[in-house]
Structure formats: structure tokens, C-alpha cells
């Protein structure tokens, strides 16, 4: 077994890790900051360190640096366990100091256990690293300082690439330079394109204004660096250091140089160290030269980008001028001469003819659009472009318009040299001289082929699914209506096969949504291959598809098609190098037996599909009339539930919460029950989801809170021992923002003291609109009402919200309690939860305690309050009063 050192300044985090890793058999040591951890590491030589990053005295990053510099500790494995920085920043920080594993807070128990096993070399199929192997690995490592400098240089290069603001460029460079050269202060001056004026001056640990008057003074520092041909390295006492501006901090070591490329100086930079610090070395001078070269390249790129931007703006102005000139072509011959300036550069095809319509000139865009070179068309008539799609009347109308109005505009189909027919938007103008005599024709044409293709693509996408290229719901409804109309005329039969890809979410969760999309595309391809030429396959949404069969004569044809569809889906799919197998569930409705309208047929097929899913998936079901009966039953159940409060059909049962040590009743949970006058007892699993879907949970939830408050107050008035009653509140109630108001009114009307009411909420409440939930929880706590988190550990449990929200209690879910005596992982998670709760000063209740063994196991790990059938089932109010009167419950 290994020795593990856990370092964190929060006791609750250390308690959580110690409780979780206590089951592994490793020896565990803990420290509350980096300084204490370093002393323990040198004294006890751990095999693995799990450390937070942000801590007082010495943080985790400095701790690892100290360990890497210690010859006796540098091979110790380290895991960063932190939530302070973004994951990318944490991993970059880890790479700089040789840490391979980074765990974000929060991390689930399995993730932590697997990371520890991997770092210790005891993951499945691997063996612990030998001492000789570790020594060989150390000999291949780069020196730490060199590694850090290389990493900092790489980070700086990435930061400077593409930077377009000189201020940000200078700041990024200074930050990297002072880190690489270990400088106590640094300054940078960048000149403008004239090489005489300062464009930007920046400094680190130094006021740039101090250097302002001296940046270009070549007789003193730092201006002398502008004429320095080589790096200038000065030591303490050097006379040249005395030429620094008055007020400059005293320096013990100075390294400065000119920033330049092969043709131009760009400015200067220098780094300095305080008196008594080590002098800059030859190696550091080379590092400074490399940094300056990188800066020169980045600054030159920035200047080039600005030049390009200026040219682009000029080009834009020129383009606007060309557009104005093109519009003027229709007015006079002088405008034609102006258009020559843009003739060769415009993207529109321009063709000029003489008064007899013989071509005299074309521009390069015309050559590109038509494929004809200018030499091939000079002297010819524009009819060489005719596509054959327009008749003689079309061209007569064009010439009539030119003769009467002097211009013609419209869309025309022409033919390229290669024979391809394409659409154009063309404007033809007649050019006349001062006397009104016709001298020429000018046409300006825009190729519309790309635009037409885009319109066709848009039309396609508006009626098809972008992922699978199948018809979407809108197009499918149109085709279904047409098929129904045709079937009515021919007295035919149609079948709708509505199908899902079963459990596609598992592929999305494990391999990613791209893999899930690949499966959907392959399913569409396979089912499309088995569909008939007159059938329609469509994707309605998500993993839901529908196949319309138009050529089915009897049930055997439909059954055969359904089986072929299921078999096609079930064939293995190769996705990202993995072979995955999915199944399909099919619901079938038939026209006209199951409906006469598209909506009725889809509804019937959906009902059949739902029944197939409930029956176990991977099969097909035909729609049956009793499915409608089931739907009507739920509708009737909703109607009865709406009347249940007024008819006094709802009641609260109470389950006591018992102290393990003495069996006393320390609290209770109120549970809702419904006995209908018409249909008898309705299980909560039936009517609670119905109440959530229909919004009835809000009046019912208000009734539960009020009833629990009045009943608890009545027990206290009767002289029974006062205990706290817990009431469950749904996420829907919290989302509506009404919980605090309902609780306040119920307490006021009943007279119950707030400390005797507890509001139970689930993780879905705090994972929704967390700001609204936090505000309501704060109001409840301000009233004096307790807050507990139910079913902890079954959802996305987070240490973040445990510390953020004002909770008083955690309830361990019965799924962990049930297996606590038989499954080590459940016991570890339960113990970790209890340790976490103690660290956060929260009380703990275990739910679902049904055996003596479960009770004793929970007691051994520190859980003292329990709830479950071992002590009592949920009982009506009068039986709960008897339990309160007894004050104790024996298991």
C-alpha cells in the first residue's frame, strides 16, 4: 500500500478525500497548506500528493516547484485537485511543473479512485514503476528552468500571433520577458513607421511616464539602445546606469537591446534586476535576443495588418466610385469613358457592341463567366450566347424595349462555351452621341447560377432534415395528405411505421453527439434502402422517424416491412472505430382503419410506439382501440385529481425519523396519499407526475404545506413533544417562485413556529435557475425554516452548491443505504457524504433503512438519524400522534 499526502486548506475537502480513500488501504497524511505539506513530504516521503492550487502561505503550484527542485522528492507523483481556474489554465499550469493528472472540483468518487490508481501505477493491466525506470525517466527530463522558459516562450508566441492591438501586444510581451529573464522590472518602447516618433511605451514594475522624456535620447539610457548594435549588459556601478532618468529604481544588473528586423529598427527593450540579485548571464542574453526577434516579427505583422486595412478601405472607396461610374453609363457617352476605369476589375461581365450589335470589347469577368476569350468574340453578334430557352418573341420584346426606352433589364438564360446553360441578370443600355445618334450598346451581366443554386438549396432545407437529408415533418404531412387522397380514390390502404432508435442517448453520452449523428444518418440510409419507390421516409425530430407504406395490401406486407426495418437498424454500426449496436421500436397505424386524417394516423402510431417501449423495446406494435381507452383513463384521472382537494380525498401520512442512539422520534416526513371515491387508492407514482405535467402540483403543494403546519401545531397544542415536520417541494414550485410566500402564509395562519418546519428539495431545484432558487432559500432561512437536500448523490452532486446554498441537512438516498452492507463502493460514498456533511456543519438522515445490518453499518460511519420501514411505515396522523406520545420507537 502507498502513502498519500492530501493538501487542502478546507477541512471539508480533506475530510471528503480521507473518507473516500480510507477504503483503499493506503496510508493517508493531510496538510492544510503548501508549507506544511513540503515539510511533511521531506519527513515522510509520500508516494502520491493530491493538492489544491490556491492556498495561503504556499500555494499548490509553488509546492510542486519546490518538490521538483528537491532531488529526493522530484519523482513523487502529484495530482492537482482544484476548482479555482478554468480547466485549460489548470492543465497549462500543471504541464509547466510536470503534473500529469488534473481533477476538477467537484469530481465524482469513481473518477478520484481511478486517478489515484493510475498515478500509483496500480491500474488494471499495469505494474508499479521501478526505481530504475524512474531514474531513467528523470535523466531524459529537460532541466526545469529550461522547460519553464520554453513553455513561457511558446505561450508568448501563441499570444502574439494575430494580435492586432499594440497595447495588448506590448503587455503580453513584457509579462513573458520578465518571467523568462527573471527580471524585477522591464520596459518596452515601440516606434511608429517614421522610426522617429514613439508609438507605444509600456513598463512592468515601473511608471512608463518616468521614461517618457528620455525614450529617444541616444546620449543616455534608455534611448542609447536605439543605436545599440548588440545587446547591452551592464552591472552594478557601471557609469552608463547613472544616465537613467532621475527617480528610476536602483539597479544591480541591466540587459537592454534594440528591437529590429533586417531593414528597420522598431524600438528598444530592457530588463533589470535589483541590487544584489545575480547578474544576467550569456544564456539569458541569448534568451533576450530570441524574445526581441519574436517581438519584431509580431510587431511587423501588426504594422502590415494596419497597412492592409488602410488599403482595404481605399479599395472599398474605389469600388464605390466604380459603382457610381457604372450607373452613369446609361446617361451619356462620357460616362462610358469613365466606366473604363472599372472595366477590367468589376465582377460583372461587361460587353460592348457597335451600333450594328457587333461585339467590340468584353472585360475579364465576361471571359470568366462565359468561357469565351475576347479574341473569340470580337466582331461577332451576342447571339453566340443564346441558350435556346427563349423564343423569337422574347428577343423581339427586348429590342423593342431598347429602341423605345434606350435600355432593357431582366433575367436571361445564356450558354457558356462549354455548353452549360446558366441564368444571368442583364442590363442593356443604348449609347447615343450629343446629336442623339445611336453609337453603341453596353450590357452589364451578373451570373445568377450560384444564387439560383443557393435558392434551390434553401428550398430543399426548408422541407428536408439537414442531418439525414430526409423529408421533414412539413413535407411528410404534405405527402401523407396526397397519399390519403389517392388511397380514397382507389379504395387503397396505407400504413404508418413510426419508429425510434432505442437508447441513442447512451451513444451521445459515451462517444459524443457526433457519433449519435452518424448513427442517425446510417439508420436513415438503411431504412431508405428498404423503402419502396412510392414510399416516404421522413425524420420528424431527434431519433424519431416515420415510414409511409403505400403499396401494402394486407397485414403480412406491413409485418414484413416492420421486421426488415428492425433488422436493418439492429445491424452493427461502425462509429469512430467502435462497433455499436442499437435497436428500433416501431408503432404502426393503418389507413383507414385507425384514422382518416394525418394527425389521427400519427397519433395512433405514436400510441402504439409508446406501448412498444413500455413492453421492452426492439419490436413493433399495431395500434389498438384500447390505447385510446388508456389515454381517456389518464384524462379522467386528471379530472378526478382536480376535484380531489375539494372532496377531501387527499391526506398526509407521516414517517418518523429516529435517533439511532436512544430510539427517540426527532422528526418526521409528510407524505401525500390519495384515496379517490370513484377508483380507490391511487399510487403517488401515478398522480404526482400527472400533477407536475398539468400544473396541479402548485395548489396541491400549497395544500400539503398548510396541512402539515396545521397538523404539527395541533399535536403541540395537544401536549405532544414538539418535533420538526419535513415537506417535499417540487422543482416546479421553486421555479414559479411561490414557495417562500406559501410557507410564510401557512406559518402565520397555523401559528406554527418556523423552527418546526423543514422544506425538502431535490438537486433538480438547485441545478435549474440557481439564482432564483438561492433567493427563495435565503427567504426561507430568514424566516427560521430549515432546508434539507433529498436523495443526495443520485444526481449531479456538487460541492459548489453545497457551500453556496444555505442547507441544514443532507439525506442519504436509499440506493446507497440498500447496498451498504454488500457493496464497498456504496459504503465508501455514504461515509464520504457523512464526512462532507460534518465538514460543512450539516446534519445527516439516512433514508430507506430496512434491516438491522443497515442500521449498524450506518452507525459505524457516524449516521445517527434514520428513516425507514425498520422503524415505521408512513402512517396516518392519528397513528403518528401515538408514536409521538410514546416518544421512542424500537426497531
Amino acid at each position: 500500500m502507498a502513502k498519500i499526502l492530501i493538501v487542502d486548506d478546507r477541512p471539508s475537502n480533506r475530510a471528503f478525500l480521507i473518507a473516500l480513500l480510507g477504503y483503499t488501504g493506503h496510508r493517508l497524511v493531510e496538510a492544510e497548506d503548501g508549507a506544511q505539506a513540503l515539510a511533511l513530504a521531506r519527513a515522510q516521503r509520500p508516494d502520491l500528493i493530491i493538492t489544491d492550487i490556491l492556498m495561503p502561505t504556499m500555494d499548490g503550484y509553488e509546492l510542486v516547484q519546490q518538490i521538483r527542485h528537491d532531488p529526493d522528492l522530484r519523482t513523487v507523483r502529484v495530482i492537482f485537485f482544484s476548482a479555482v481556474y478554468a480547466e485549460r489554465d489548470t492543465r497549462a499550469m500543471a504541464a509547466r511543473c510536470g503534473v500529469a493528472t488534473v481533477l476538477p472540483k467537484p469530481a465524482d468518487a469513481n473518477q478520484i479512485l481511478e486517478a489515484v490508481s493510475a498515478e500509483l501505477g496500480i491500474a488494471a493491466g499495469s505494474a508499479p514503476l521501478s526505481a530504475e525506470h524512474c531514474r531513467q525517466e528523470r535523466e531524459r527530463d529537460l532541466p526545469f528552468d529550461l522547460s519553464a522558459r520554453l513553455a513561457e516562450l511558446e505561450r508568448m508566441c501563441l499570444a502574439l500571433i494575430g494580435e492586432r492591438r499594440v497595447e495588448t501586444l506590448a503587455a503580453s510581451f513584457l509579462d513573458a520577458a520578465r518571467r523568462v529573464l527573471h527580471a524585477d522590472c522591464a520596459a518596452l518602447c515601440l516606434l511608429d513607421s517614421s522610426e522617429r516618433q514613439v508609438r507605444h511605451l509600456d513598463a512592468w514594475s515601473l511608471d512608463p511616464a518616468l521614461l517618457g522624456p528620455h525614450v529617444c535620447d541616444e546620449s543616455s539610457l534608455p534611448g542609447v539602445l536605439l543605436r545599440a548594435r548588440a545587446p547591452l549588459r551592464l552591472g552594478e556601478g557601471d557609469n552608463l546606469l547613472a544616465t537613467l532618468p532621475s527617480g528610476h529604481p536602483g539597479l544591480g544588473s541591466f540587459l537592454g537591446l534594440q528591437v529590429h528586423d533586417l531593414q528597420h529598427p522598431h524600438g528598444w527593450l530592457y530588463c533589470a534586476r535589483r541590487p544584489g540579485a545575480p547578474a544576467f548571464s550569456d544564456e539569458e542574453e541569448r534568451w533576450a535576443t530570441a524574445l526581441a526577434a519574436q517581438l519584431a516579427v509580431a510587431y511587423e505583422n501588426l504594422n502590415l495588418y494596419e497597412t492592409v486595412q488602410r488599403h482595404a478601405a481605399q479599395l472599398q472607396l474605389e469600388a464605390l466610385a466604380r459603382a457610381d461610374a457604372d450607373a452613369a453609363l446609361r446617361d451619356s457617352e462620357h460616362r462610358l469613358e469613365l466606366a473604363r476605369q472599372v472595366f477590367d476589375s468589376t465582377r460583372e461581365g461587361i460587353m460592348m457592341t457597335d451600333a450594328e450589335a457587333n461585339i467590340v470589347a468584353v472585360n475579364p469577368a465576361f471571359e470568366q463567366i462565359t468561357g469565351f476569350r475576347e479574341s473569340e468574340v470580337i466582331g461577332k453578334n451576342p447571339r453566340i450566347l443564346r441558350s435556346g430557352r427563349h423564343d423569337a418573341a422574347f428577343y423581339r420584346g427586348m429590342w423593342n424595349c431598347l429602341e423605345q426606352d434606350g435600355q432593357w433589364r431582366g433575367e436571361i438564360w445564356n450558354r457558356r462555351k462549354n455548353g452549360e446553360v446558366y441564368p444571368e441578370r442583364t442590363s442593356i443600355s443604348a449609347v447615343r452621341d450629343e446629336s442623339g445618334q445611336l453609337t453603341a450598346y453596353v450590357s452589364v451581366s451578373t451570373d445568377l447560377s450560384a444564387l439560383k443554386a443557393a435558392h434551390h438549396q434553401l428550398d430543399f432545407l426548408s422541407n428536408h432534415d439537414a442531418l439525414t437529408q430526409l423529408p421533414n415533418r412539413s413535407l411528410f404531412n404534405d405527402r401523407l395528405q396526397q397519399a390519403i387522397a389517392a388511397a380514397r380514390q382507389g379504395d387503397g390502404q396505407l400504413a404508418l411505421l413510426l419508429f425510434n432508435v432505442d437508447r441513442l442517448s447512451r451513444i451521445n453520452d459515451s462517444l459524443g453527439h457526433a457519433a449519435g449523428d452518424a448513427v442517425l444518418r446510417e439508420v436513415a440510409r438503411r431504412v431508405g434502402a428498404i423503402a419502396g419507390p412510392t414510399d416516404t421516409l421522413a425524420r420528424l425530430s431527434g431519433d424519431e422517424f416515420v415510414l409511409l407504406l403505400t403499396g401494402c395490401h394486407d397485414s403480412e406486407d406491413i409485418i414484413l416491412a416492420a421486421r426488415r426495418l428492425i433488422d436493418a437498424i439492429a445491424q452493427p454500426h461502425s462509429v469512430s472505430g467502435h462497433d455499436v449496436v442499437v435497436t428500433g421500436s416501431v408503432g404502426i397505424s393503418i389507413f383507414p382503419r385507425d384514422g382518416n386524417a394525418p394527425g389521427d394516423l400519427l397519433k395512433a402510431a405514436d400510441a402504439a410506439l409508446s406501448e412498444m417501449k413500455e413492453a421492452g423495446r426492439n419490436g413493433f406494435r399495431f395500434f389498438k382501440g384500447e390505447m385510446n381507452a388508456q389515454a381517456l383513463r389518464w384524462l379522467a384521472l386528471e379530472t378526478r385529481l382536480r376535484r380531489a382537494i375539494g372532496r377531501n380525498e387527499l391526506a398526509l401520512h407521516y414517517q418518523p425519523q429516529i435517533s439511532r442512539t436512544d430510539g427517540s422520534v426527532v422528526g418526521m416526513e409528510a407524505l401525500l396519499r390519495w384515496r379517490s371515491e370513484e377508483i380507490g387508492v391511487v399510487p403517488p407514482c401515478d398522480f404526482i407526475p400527472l400533477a407536475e405535467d398539468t400544473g396541479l402540483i402548485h395548489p396541491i403543494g400549497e395544500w400539503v404545506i398548510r396541512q402539515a403546519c396545521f397538523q404539527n401545531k395541533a399535536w403541540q397544542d395537544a401536549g405532544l413533544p414538539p418535533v420538526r415536520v419535513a415537506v417535499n417541494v417540487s422543482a416546479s414550485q421553486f421555479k414559479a417562485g411561490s414557495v417562500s410566500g406559501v410557507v410564510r402564509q401557512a406559518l402565520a395562519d397555523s401559528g406554527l413556529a418556523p423552527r418546526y418546519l423543514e422544506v425538502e428539495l431535490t438537486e433538480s431545484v438547485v441545478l435549474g435557475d440557481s439564482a432564483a432558487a438561492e433567493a427563495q432559500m435565503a427567504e426561507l432561512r430568514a424566516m427560521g425554516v430549515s432546508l434539507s437536500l433529498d436523495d443526495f448523490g443520485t444526481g449531479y452532486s456538487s460541492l459548489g452548491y453545497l457551500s453556496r446554498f444555505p442547507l441544514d441537512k443532507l439525506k442519504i438516498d436509499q440506493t446507497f443505504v440498500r447496498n451498504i452492507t454488500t457493496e464497498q463502493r456504496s459504503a465508501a460514498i455514504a461515509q464520504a457524504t457523512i464526512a462532507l456533511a460534518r465538514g460543512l456543519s450539516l446534519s445527516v438522515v439516512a433514508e430507506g433503512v430496512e434491516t438491522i445490518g443497515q442500521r449498524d453499518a450506518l452507525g459505524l460511519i457516524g449516521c445517527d438519524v434514520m428513516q425507514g420501514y425498520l422503524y415505521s411505515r408512513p402512517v396516518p396522523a392519528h397513528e403518528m400522534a401515538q408514536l409521538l406520545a410514546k416518544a421512542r420507537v424500537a426497531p
Side-chain angles (χ1 to χ4, degrees):
M1 290 294 101
K3 184 186 297 182
I4 302 175
L5 173 59
I6 297 171
V7 189
D8 201 303
D9 60 325
R10 289 182 174 269
S12 59
N13 290 339
R14 298 200 304 272
F16 175 79
L17 290 174
I18 290 173
L20 182 61
L21 298 177
Y23 278 79
T24 61
H26 298 305
R27 183 183 171 189
L28 306 175
V29 185
E30 62 177 312
E32 63 182 11
D33 57 49
Q36 184 182 4
L38 183 61
L40 285 173
R42 288 170 173 166
Q44 301 193 26
R45 305 289 174 83
D47 302 290
L48 174 65
I49 298 175
I50 304 175
T51 179
D52 191 9
I53 296 179
L54 188 60
M55 296 181 293
T57 308
M58 180 188 291
D59 61 26
Y61 182 77
E62 185 178 353
L63 168 63
V64 176
Q65 287 183 312
Q66 294 287 344
I67 288 173
R68 294 293 184 251
H69 285 304
D70 191 330
D72 296 328
L73 297 176
R74 65 182 303 175
T75 61
V76 174
R77 309 293 291 180
V78 179
I79 295 175
F80 275 156
F81 186 48
S82 175
V84 174
Y85 302 96
E87 182 177 354
R88 186 177 70 175
D89 296 336
T90 304
R91 293 193 179 279
M93 192 180 301
R96 292 177 188 172
C97 58
V99 174
T101 301
V102 175
L103 291 175
K105 290 181 182 177
D108 62 43
N110 290 332
Q111 186 180 4
I112 296 172
L113 294 174
E114 290 171 1
V116 169
S117 297
E119 285 290 348
L120 291 175
I122 58 176
S126 63
L129 298 177
S130 65
E132 177 63 19
H133 182 77
C134 294
R135 182 188 64 77
Q136 294 173 357
E137 286 297 317
R138 289 198 305 271
E139 291 176 354
R140 287 199 295 268
D141 287 342
L142 288 170
F144 175 75
D145 190 56
L146 177 58
S147 299
R149 284 178 169 173
L150 288 172
E152 191 62 42
L153 180 61
E154 180 183 11
R155 184 192 67 78
M156 184 198 74
C157 292
L158 292 175
L160 297 187
I161 290 175
E163 181 56 57
R164 299 295 179 253
R165 296 181 67 251
V166 68
E167 295 83 2
T168 308
L169 180 140
S172 299
F173 174 80
L174 278 178
D175 182 63
R178 61 98 178 177
R179 292 176 184 273
V180 170
L181 299 176
H182 305 301
D184 295 313
C185 66
L188 170 66
C189 173
L190 295 174
L191 303 177
D192 62 11
S193 58
S194 69
E195 302 176 8
R196 297 177 179 274
Q197 300 296 322
V198 175
R199 180 178 180 183
H200 185 71
L201 177 65
D202 200 356
W204 181 82
S205 189
L206 183 67
D207 184 4
L210 184 69
L211 304 174
H214 308 277
V215 292
C216 295
D217 183 1
E218 297 185 1
S219 64
S220 63
L221 287 176
V224 70
L225 297 175
L226 289 175
R227 56 183 173 83
R229 298 303 177 188
L232 185 62
R233 197 160 29 136
L234 305 175
E236 190 170 3
D238 193 293
N239 292 334
L240 193 55
L241 285 180
T243 67
L244 283 167
S246 176
H248 193 291
L251 301 179
S253 181
F254 178 94
L255 175 59
L257 66 163
Q258 183 189 79
V259 179
H260 63 87
D261 56 21
L262 294 177
Q263 291 87 19
H264 309 288
H266 295 306
W268 51 257
L269 71 93
Y270 73 83
C271 293
R273 293 174 180 166
R274 63 182 181 274
F280 289 104
S281 63
D282 293 340
E283 179 184 1
E284 288 172 324
E285 182 177 312
R286 290 191 293 272
W287 276 103
T289 304
L291 288 169
Q294 292 291 341
L295 175 61
V297 172
Y299 188 54
E300 181 64 20
N301 288 340
L302 184 147
N303 290 332
L304 287 174
Y305 172 78
E306 292 177 345
T307 302
V308 169
Q309 289 293 93
R310 289 195 299 271
H311 289 173
Q314 183 62 34
L315 288 174
Q316 186 175 10
L317 293 175
E318 293 174 2
L320 293 174
R322 285 196 299 270
D324 292 339
D326 186 35
L329 279 172
R330 296 184 297 271
D331 298 333
S332 68
E333 187 176 358
H334 297 293
R335 299 288 180 90
L336 181 61
E337 292 298 323
L338 182 61
R340 278 288 182 182
Q341 300 177 19
V342 296
F343 186 74
D344 292 335
S345 59
T346 182
R347 296 176 60 184
E348 284 74 29
I350 299 178
M351 177 175 61
M352 295 183 180
T353 72
D354 57 19
E356 286 73 34
N358 296 316
I359 300 173
V360 297
V362 296
N363 71 340
F366 175 93
E367 295 180 332
Q368 184 178 2
I369 293 172
T370 66
F372 288 102
R373 302 184 67 83
E374 185 178 41
S375 59
E376 296 175 309
V377 298
I378 294 296
K380 295 183 179 180
N381 191 281
R383 67 172 62 94
I384 63 172
L385 300 176
R386 284 188 177 182
S387 65
R389 291 195 177 187
H390 304 290
D391 55 18
F394 175 84
Y395 292 106
R396 280 198 304 270
M398 177 190 297
W399 283 107
N400 289 336
C401 188
L402 280 171
E403 291 174 358
Q404 295 176 10
D405 303 329
Q407 62 179 7
W408 178 89
R409 294 180 183 177
E411 290 189 11
I412 188 171
W413 288 88
N414 279 338
R415 187 182 301 275
R416 307 187 206 272
K417 182 180 179 180
N418 62 8
E420 178 188 352
V421 176
Y422 68 98
E424 276 189 334
R425 180 182 291 112
T426 300
S427 173
I428 305 176
S429 299
V431 181
R432 299 182 182 274
D433 59 18
E434 295 179 354
S435 63
Q437 187 69 29
L438 178 69
T439 59
Y441 293 100
V442 177
S443 73
V444 180
S445 301
T446 302
D447 186 355
L448 298 179
S449 54
L451 182 61
K452 293 283 187 183
H455 284 168
H456 288 308
Q457 180 69 9
L458 182 61
D459 291 340
F460 179 84
L461 291 177
S462 66
N463 290 293
H464 291 77
D465 171 51
L467 177 65
T468 62
Q469 307 300 303
L470 294 176
N472 59 15
R473 185 183 294 272
S474 175
L475 181 57
F476 177 76
N477 283 334
D478 290 342
R479 293 189 180 179
L480 179 56
Q481 288 177 348
Q482 296 173 11
I484 290 175
R488 285 189 180 127
Q489 292 180 358
D491 196 23
Q493 179 176 266
L494 305 174
L496 244 63
L497 278 62
L498 185 68
F499 62 95
N500 283 152
V501 179
D502 297 332
R503 300 181 178 89
L504 183 68
S505 60
R506 292 186 177 179
I507 296 176
N508 290 331
D509 295 341
S510 57
L511 300 179
H513 286 275
D517 290 345
V519 171
L520 291 175
R521 285 193 294 268
E522 179 62 15
V523 166
R525 187 194 66 78
R526 294 180 185 180
V527 179
I530 66 175
T534 60
D535 299 337
T536 297
L537 173 64
R539 182 186 180 206
L540 301 184
S541 64
D543 64 346
E544 187 174 68
F545 297 81
V546 63
L547 176 62
L548 169 63
L549 301 179
T550 58
C552 50
H553 301 289
D554 52 34
S555 297
E556 292 299 324
D557 292 339
I558 300 173
I559 292 173
L560 177 61
R563 287 177 175 170
R564 292 179 63 195
L565 186 154
I566 293 172
D567 291 342
I569 295 175
Q571 295 299 316
H573 299 254
S574 179
V575 180
S576 302
H578 300 272
D579 286 337
V580 298
V581 177
V582 295
T583 58
S585 300
V586 185
I588 305 172
S589 63
I590 300 174
F591 170 85
R593 187 190 74 182
D594 299 327
N596 289 310
D600 295 336
L601 291 172
L602 283 169
K603 179 181 177 182
D606 187 57
L609 176 60
S610 297
E611 184 181 274
M612 183 64 250
K613 290 180 179 179
E614 293 175 0
R617 304 176 188 267
N618 193 22
F620 64 88
R621 286 286 188 277
F622 283 89
F623 175 74
K624 298 177 182 178
E626 50 265 30
M627 293 183 185
N628 276 331
Q630 176 70 7
L632 292 174
R633 174 182 174 273
W634 280 102
L635 182 60
L637 189 64
E638 178 185 347
T639 302
R640 293 187 178 98
L641 183 58
R642 291 184 183 277
R643 297 196 296 259
I645 298 178
R647 292 182 173 182
N648 294 322
E649 294 177 353
L650 298 179
L652 289 184
H653 284 201
Y654 302 85
Q655 189 171 32
Q657 297 171 346
I658 309 301
S659 171
R660 181 187 62 85
T661 56
D662 59 5
S664 61
V665 179
V666 296
M668 70 185 84
E669 180 179 1
L671 301 168
L672 183 62
R673 297 293 184 263
W674 178 24
R675 178 183 292 274
S676 172
E677 295 178 357
E678 300 167 335
I679 57 177
V681 176
V682 183
C685 60
D686 283 348
F687 72 84
I688 293 297
L690 180 61
E692 293 274 2
D693 291 340
T694 60
L696 291 174
I697 194 66
H698 298 287
I700 292 176
E702 181 177 354
W703 179 88
V704 169
I705 292 172
R706 293 181 62 84
Q707 184 68 15
C709 290
F710 277 94
Q711 182 61 70
N712 200 11
K713 178 60 175 172
W715 282 329
Q716 294 179 14
D717 292 343
L720 295 175
V723 295
R724 184 179 296 146
V725 60
V727 179
N728 289 280
V729 176
S730 73
S732 176
Q733 291 173 270
F734 255 89
K735 185 176 181 181
S738 60
V739 175
S740 56
V742 169
V743 168
R744 182 180 290 105
Q745 190 63 45
L747 292 173
D749 293 346
S750 65
L752 181 68
R755 66 178 178 276
Y756 294 117
L757 177 64
E758 177 177 301
V759 172
E760 283 192 9
L761 35 113
T762 60
E763 292 177 356
S764 60
V765 172
V766 294
L767 291 176
D769 186 352
S770 59
E774 186 175 5
Q776 290 192 80
M777 292 166 69
E779 288 187 46
L780 293 171
R781 281 296 300 273
M783 295 180 205
V785 175
S786 298
L787 297 173
S788 65
L789 184 63
D790 198 11
D791 301 335
F792 179 72
T794 59
Y796 297 91
S797 303
S798 167
L799 296 179
Y801 70 63
L802 287 182
S803 60
R804 175 180 174 185
F805 294 102
L807 299 170
D808 300 288
K809 181 186 296 183
L810 293 183
K811 298 190 76 173
I812 302 176
D813 186 70
Q814 58 184 349
T815 55
F816 302 117
V817 174
R818 183 182 304 116
N819 300 323
I820 196 169
T821 59
T822 59
E823 187 179 284
Q824 183 180 6
R825 193 173 298 275
S826 293
I829 292 174
Q831 183 173 5
T833 300
I834 294 171
L836 176 63
R838 285 179 174 173
L840 296 173
S841 300
L842 304 178
S843 58
V844 180
V845 175
E847 293 183 306
V849 180
E850 298 180 354
T851 67
I852 298 293
Q854 293 169 352
R855 180 200 66 184
D856 294 340
L858 287 166
L860 288 175
I861 60 176
C863 182
D864 294 324
V865 179
M866 303 180 191
Q867 176 182 340
Y869 284 7
L870 178 64
Y871 297 97
S872 173
R873 293 174 175 271
V875 296
H878 68 277
E879 294 186 28
M880 188 66 216
Q882 296 173 7
L883 294 177
L884 289 173
K886 290 170 56 178
R888 283 177 172 75
V889 177

